[in-house]
């Protein structure tokens, strides 16, 4: 019994450690974003203010809302297309018979491990020729492609759990492949679709290098680049505004993680481990 | 000889076509183009010229390249084991039956879910010389007597990067390990309790050995990611001070933006080969076998 108590205390301490390790940077961000001065340690009392948020929302030259809008649109469209395309592919891989099936799957999966830097030279030239630099397309196309491997892998693992007899009987009943896919398989893989969609969305929302190279200004620039480039007027960084902007742009991520924690964890482990 | 139905071949080709087109144009062809480009002297506004291995010969005598290779390797050797170690602690906490389990999981997921460039900004403020949290806390508990200029010396900048990276990616390790942990049958633990094995014995004799496959997978995922690290360093230290924290990705990037595409390509190729070897090992060890289909 003594040991059990000790373990309980140990786990309590470990939990506190884990929580504070994960949350302190976020709390610090919130505190600074709501403070009048960001030199909070030398002050006797901390003054609460909304002015940082008002400033980044009101000042059109900062383009904070443009960046957030760009990010949401680009990531949203990329996620939808990535899941759609990957679902079609995963269905073929798990249900149809064709040569080099496993090699094709491995090949596509391996591609997600390539370093992004090894494609930007070509991508930049391609987008320049297509006149896509600083447009949504310039980011959406690579984002769909780079999130296909994880979406495909998640969908393959979901499809392979559904018994094959199910769609076979539909085919016997006179459904076409496409009808069988749409009416029987798709509804059963809803959790997979959600997981794949969320992970693709987060991938695109977080991507930095492509956005850095393929966009120029607020018309297509996304949040990570916008925040990385946020500069003060006179050398000194306006930390209050930066943290307010950061807090605001993290809102979609925080909402998604809170609502879909289970789907995200499931997607991640399906993407990594096959049980 | 296996025969295939014509109808099957046609349908699967149509279903896979979008995947093929997209991955071909935005992943595979760009990679091949980079390979080819690394044999050319390709500087913007100048004529492209075939030079065979000249870029690679330059690499051999380029101290900047060797420094960034060295940094990249040391960075992953230091940060990845730390992440695995902390990841195990995180996993045990996540797996423990405590109230507010969902809340704790959300908190742990958050650092992983946010953009690396943004987490770099959070840490940049924490490391700030005059009003950063790091100096404030260390001064308060009297570990240091005067504030540290975190990002100004090579060593402290390295430490700063490792801490920020560990914060960002330990959650990912923990989630991968959690899946491995939950796959361990509970009966083994009941038996161990009956046999009067204490907590530490149970951990080292049962949990750790059975967690090994998951640890290897997390290790390799993290290695591939740590080797190509870019965002965090670009924002937090910009490769400084004096190039001390320049990773291979960042080094290649610096040549890309000056317009020296040929040389940048050769650096990218080296990085690609390193990640490729790592991913082959991953696919081998990760037991990706035909049976998944």
């Amino acid at each position: 019994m003594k040991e059990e108590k000790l373990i309980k205390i140990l786990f309590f301490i470990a939990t506190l450690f884990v929580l504070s390790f994960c949350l302190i940077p976020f709390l610090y961000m919130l505190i600074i974003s709501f403070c009048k001065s960001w030199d909070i340690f030398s002050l006797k009392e901390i003054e609460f203010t909304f002015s940082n948020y008002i400033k980044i929302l009101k000042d059109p030259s900062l383009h904070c809302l443009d960046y957030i809008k760009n990010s949401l649109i680009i990531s949203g469209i990329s996620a939808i297309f990535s899941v759609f395309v990957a679902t079609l592919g995963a269905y073929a891989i798990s249900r149809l018979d064709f040569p080099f099936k496993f090699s094709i799957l491995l090949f596509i999966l391996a591609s997600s491990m390539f370093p992004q830097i090894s494609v930007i030279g070509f991508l930049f030239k391609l987008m320049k020729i297509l006149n896509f630099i600083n447009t949504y397309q310039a980011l959406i196309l690579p984002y769909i492609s780079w999130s296909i491997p994880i979406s495909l892998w998640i969908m393959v693992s979901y499809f392979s759990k559904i018994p094959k007899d199910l769609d076979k009987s539909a085919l016997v009943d006179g459904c076409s492949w496409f009808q069988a896919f749409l009416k029987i398989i798709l509804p059963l893989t809803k959790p997979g679709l959600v997981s794949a969609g969320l992970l693709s969305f987060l991938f695109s929302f977080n991507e930095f290098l492509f956005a850095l190279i393929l966009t120029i200004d607020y018309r297509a620039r996304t949040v990570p680049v916008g925040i990385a480039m946020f500069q003060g007027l006179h050398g000194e960084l306006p930390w209050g505004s930066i943290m307010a902007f950061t807090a605001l742009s993290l809102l979609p991520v925080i909402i998604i993680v809170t609502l879909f924690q289970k789907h995200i964890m499931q997607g991640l482990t399906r993407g990594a481990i096959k049980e | 000889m296996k025969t295939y139905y014509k109808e099957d071949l046609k349908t699967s080709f149509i279903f896979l076509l979008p995947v093929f087109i997209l991955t071909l144009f935005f992943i595979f062809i760009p990679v091949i183009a980079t390979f080819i480009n690394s044999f050319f002297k390709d500087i913007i506004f100048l004529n492209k010229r075939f030079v065979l291995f000249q870029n690679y010969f330059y690499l051999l005598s380029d101290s900047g390249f060797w420094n960034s290779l060295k940094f990249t390797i040391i960075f992953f050797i230091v940060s990845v084991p730390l992440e695995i170690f902390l990841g195990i602690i995180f996993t045990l906490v996540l797996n423990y039956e405590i109230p507010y389990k969902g809340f704790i999981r959300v908190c742990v997921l958050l650092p992983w879910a946010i953009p690396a460039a943004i987490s770099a900004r959070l840490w940049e403020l924490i490391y700030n010389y005059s009003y950063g949290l790091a100096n404030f806390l260390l001064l308060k508990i009297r570990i240091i007597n005067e504030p540290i200029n975190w990002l100004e010396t090579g060593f402290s900048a390295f430490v700063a990067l490792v801490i920020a990276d560990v914060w960002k990616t330990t959650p990912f390790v923990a989630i991968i390990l959690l899946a491995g942990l939950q796959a361990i049958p509970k009966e083994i633990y009941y038996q161990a309790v009956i046999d009067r094995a204490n907590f530490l014995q149970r951990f080292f004799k049962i949990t750790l050995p059975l967690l090994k496959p998951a640890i290897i997978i997390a290790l390799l995922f993290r290695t591939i990611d740590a080797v190509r690290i870019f965002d965090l360093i670009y924002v937090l230290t910009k490769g400084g001070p004096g190039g001390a924290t320049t990773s291979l990705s960042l080094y290649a990037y610096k040549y890309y933006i000056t317009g020296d595409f040929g040389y940048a390509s050769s650096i990218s190729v080296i990085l690609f080969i390193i990640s490729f070897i790592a991913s082959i090992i991953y696919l081998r060890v990760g037991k990706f076998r035909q049976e998944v289909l």
Side-chain angles (χ1 to χ4, degrees):
Chain A
M1 277 308 107
K2 220 178 163 188
E3 194 201 289
E4 234 167 71
K5 211 166 196 182
L6 192 74
I7 291 172
K8 251 194 185 147
I9 295 169
L10 262 176
F11 266 103
F12 183 70
I13 295 169
T15 310
L16 277 186
F17 164 75
V18 167
L19 280 184
S20 45
F21 182 77
C22 291
L23 290 185
I24 280 177
F26 290 110
L27 295 177
Y28 192 51
M29 164 191 86
L30 282 179
I31 292 170
I32 298 289
S33 74
F34 282 115
C35 277
K36 220 167 203 158
S37 154
W38 49 90
D39 191 1
I40 57 169
F41 300 126
S42 58
L43 298 173
K44 285 267 150 52
E45 51 197 83
I46 296 168
E47 270 184 276
F48 178 86
T49 175
F50 277 117
S51 65
N52 291 319
Y53 286 91
I54 293 167
K55 191 179 166 222
I56 60 156
L57 289 175
K58 282 265 171 69
D59 189 344
S61 68
L62 294 175
H63 299 296
C64 295
L65 287 177
D66 287 323
Y67 296 148
I68 294 175
K69 186 189 84 193
N70 294 343
S71 264
L72 290 177
I73 294 175
I74 291 172
S75 317
I77 294 177
S78 305
I80 290 168
F81 276 97
S82 163
V83 172
F84 177 69
V85 168
T87 305
L88 286 179
Y91 182 70
I93 286 174
S94 75
R95 284 301 193 269
L96 301 167
D97 227 10
F98 57 93
F100 308 117
K101 198 195 238 184
F102 194 63
S103 316
I104 289 172
L105 179 62
L106 273 194
F107 217 60
I108 294 168
L109 286 182
S111 70
S112 67
M113 289 155 191
F114 296 169
Q116 270 102 327
I117 195 85
S118 63
V119 301
I120 57 162
F122 180 87
L123 276 190
F124 180 76
K125 287 176 180 171
L126 179 73
M127 296 303 173
K128 193 129 206 187
I129 292 168
L130 294 172
N131 229 345
F132 277 179
I133 297 281
N134 209 25
T135 62
Y136 287 175
Q137 303 92 287
L139 293 180
I140 289 173
L141 288 168
Y143 285 174
I144 298 172
S145 319
W146 279 76
S147 55
I148 279 177
I150 178 92
S151 305
L152 187 77
W153 186 234
I154 291 173
M155 291 321 292
V156 165
S157 84
Y158 270 93
F159 280 143
S160 58
K161 284 225 162 129
I162 300 170
K164 286 191 181 166
D165 298 339
L166 209 62
D167 36 320
K168 270 209 190 103
S169 58
L171 289 177
V172 171
D173 289 347
C175 282
S176 71
W177 271 117
F178 195 68
Q179 280 173 317
F181 171 70
L182 212 64
K183 293 209 172 127
I184 296 180
I185 306 292
L186 222 47
L188 284 172
T189 49
K190 242 187 217 152
L193 293 173
V194 175
S195 296
L198 290 172
L199 288 185
S200 313
F201 181 89
L202 287 177
F203 167 82
S204 310
F205 195 85
N206 296 352
E207 205 284 332
F208 183 69
L209 185 57
F210 293 163
L212 183 66
I213 287 181
L214 302 174
T215 65
I216 299 165
D217 61 19
Y218 65 93
R219 273 166 289 185
R221 189 174 276 170
T222 55
V223 163
V225 181
I227 286 181
M229 299 269 178
F230 204 111
Q231 295 297 339
L233 276 178
H234 310 290
E236 183 85 4
L237 286 171
W239 280 113
S241 317
I242 296 180
M243 288 300 129
F245 182 16
T246 306
L248 213 61
S249 52
L250 288 185
L251 215 56
V253 178
I254 293 170
I255 292 171
I256 285 176
V257 171
T258 312
L259 291 180
F260 299 102
Q261 172 251 115
K262 275 190 189 126
H263 285 96
I264 291 173
M265 300 218 350
Q266 233 164 47
L268 268 181
T269 47
R270 288 225 183 201
I273 305 175
K274 230 8 254 199
E275 67 271 46
Chain B
M1 181 73 198
K2 199 172 172 192
T3 52
Y4 297 97
Y5 294 106
K6 211 172 158 201
E7 191 61 27
D8 265 21
L9 288 178
K10 212 179 90 189
T11 320
S12 54
F13 180 74
I14 294 169
F15 273 31
L16 275 166
L17 196 63
V19 172
F20 285 151
I21 291 175
L22 284 165
T23 49
L24 213 59
F25 270 91
F26 297 100
I27 305 180
F28 290 106
I29 292 176
V31 167
I32 295 165
T34 302
F35 262 89
I36 295 170
N37 225 1
S38 72
F39 299 115
F40 282 86
K41 191 150 206 75
D42 179 13
I43 299 174
I44 207 157
F45 302 131
L46 295 178
N47 283 333
K48 205 165 160 176
R49 193 154 59 80
F50 182 68
V51 292
L52 199 61
F53 291 117
Q54 207 189 76
N55 287 325
Y56 291 97
F57 290 139
Y58 274 131
L59 276 182
L60 291 176
S61 57
D62 179 359
S63 66
F65 166 73
W66 288 108
N67 281 340
S68 58
L69 181 65
K70 202 174 89 188
F71 168 80
T72 306
I73 292 171
I74 295 176
F75 181 78
F76 107 79
I77 288 179
V78 173
S79 60
V80 172
L82 253 175
E83 285 153 20
I84 300 286
F85 172 74
L86 276 176
I88 292 173
I89 296 178
F90 272 48
T91 310
L92 292 177
V93 166
L94 288 179
N95 195 42
Y96 195 64
E97 281 306 323
I98 25 174
Y100 307 112
K101 213 164 149 186
F103 170 73
I104 292 171
R105 288 188 177 190
V106 169
C107 295
V108 169
L109 267 177
L110 278 179
W112 165 82
I114 70 168
I118 291 183
S119 77
R121 264 280 146 104
L122 295 181
W123 284 94
E124 191 184 347
L125 175 59
I126 290 174
Y127 292 132
N128 188 291
Y129 181 80
S130 6
Y131 20 78
L133 188 64
N135 279 338
F136 173 77
L137 288 178
L138 291 176
L139 284 169
K140 261 268 138 77
I141 54 174
R142 288 172 199 265
I143 287 181
I144 52 173
N145 290 321
E146 45 193 89
I148 298 173
N149 225 334
W150 284 94
L151 304 176
E152 299 299 315
T153 73
F155 178 72
S156 58
F158 179 81
V159 173
L161 279 174
V162 169
I163 295 173
D165 192 59
V166 166
W167 178 78
K168 178 89 176 70
T169 53
T170 300
F172 174 78
V173 175
I175 294 160
I176 301 291
L177 295 185
L178 186 64
L181 197 62
Q182 285 169 345
I184 301 175
K186 290 262 182 323
E187 291 76 26
I188 301 180
Y189 288 103
Y190 297 147
Q191 188 58 44
V193 170
I194 292 166
D195 293 343
R196 291 175 184 277
N198 67 30
F199 174 71
L200 285 179
Q201 283 169 329
R202 289 202 303 266
F203 177 73
F204 283 106
K205 293 269 160 68
I206 301 173
T207 311
L208 213 50
L210 288 174
L211 211 53
K212 209 176 117 198
I215 292 178
I216 290 173
I217 289 173
L219 200 68
L220 285 155
F221 259 123
R222 282 303 310 138
T223 304
I224 289 159
D225 250 7
V227 165
R228 65 182 176 189
I229 184 165
F230 179 83
D231 317 9
L232 180 70
I233 297 177
Y234 180 89
V235 179
L236 194 52
T237 67
K238 296 175 183 63
T245 58
T246 304
S247 68
L248 276 176
S249 281
L250 192 60
Y251 195 62
Y253 171 80
K254 282 180 177 168
Y255 278 95
Y256 274 119
I257 51 166
T258 54
D260 193 344
F261 283 87
Y263 196 57
S265 299
S266 66
I267 304 165
S268 310
V269 167
I270 301 288
L271 182 60
F272 178 85
I273 291 170
I274 296 173
S275 336
F276 191 72
I277 293 170
S279 52
I280 297 252
I281 298 171
Y282 164 64
L283 292 174
R284 276 275 153 88
V285 181
K287 294 198 177 84
F288 283 83
R289 286 200 223 99
Q290 204 111 21
E291 71 212 36
V292 298
L293 295 181

